[in-house]
Amino acid sequence: MSKVYSLKTVQKMPISLEQAWDFFSKPDNLKDITPSNLGFVIRSKHHGVRMYPGQIIEYTVSPVLGIPLYWMTEITHVQDQRFFVDEQRFGPYSLWHHQHHFTPIDGGVEMTDIVHYKLPMWVLGDIANGLFVKAQLRQIFAHRFQKTTELFGDWPGQKMDVQFF
């Protein structure tokens, strides 16, 4: 049986909690912080402007060799200006559970992402994680860190760090 992996990132931004929530709670903004080489396109037509519990969002994404894959997520939990959770319903993972937390701090907001994921195909999934999935997730979150810094400003002394467990 393949392993459940997890990752965690923390980013501080010199903006208000309200500004951070306003940006990250709008599904259409996800394309602005996703690497273009992934071919990310939102396909759903009725997903709404802001996140809400039960919301379904459909995408296509091309993570391997440019082959488009269908991905459906559900926003399962939302606590206004505190956190939201998206879970894959259909897509490339056996499990994808992504928590987005927002905490006000002096001078800005701290955003923490916690992802639990599992790959299909048992041991082959574990091998794929070691060969390219883990590196690709690191690259996706590094890109997001960079784009978020460009949009909202730099936090002095902060470096991008993705911790895998």
Side-chain angles (χ1 to χ4, degrees), residues 20-22 30 35 38 48 54 58 63 68 70-71 99 109-110 121 126 133-134 148-149 153 163 165:
W21 186 260
D22 183 59
L30 187 54
L38 291 180
E58 298 172 280
Y70 175 76
W71 192 336
Q99 303 171 50
V109 65
E110 182 176 85
M121 300 185 294
D126 291 334
V133 173
K134 184 176 176 180
T148 301
T149 298
Q163 300 170 6
F165 304 96

Side-chain angles (χ1 to χ4, degrees), residues 149-165:
T149 298
E150 289 172 14
L151 288 168
F152 302 119
D154 193 21
W155 189 274
Q158 178 175 233
K159 294 184 182 193
M160 197 287 299
D161 182 31
V162 180
Q163 300 170 6
F164 284 88
F165 304 96

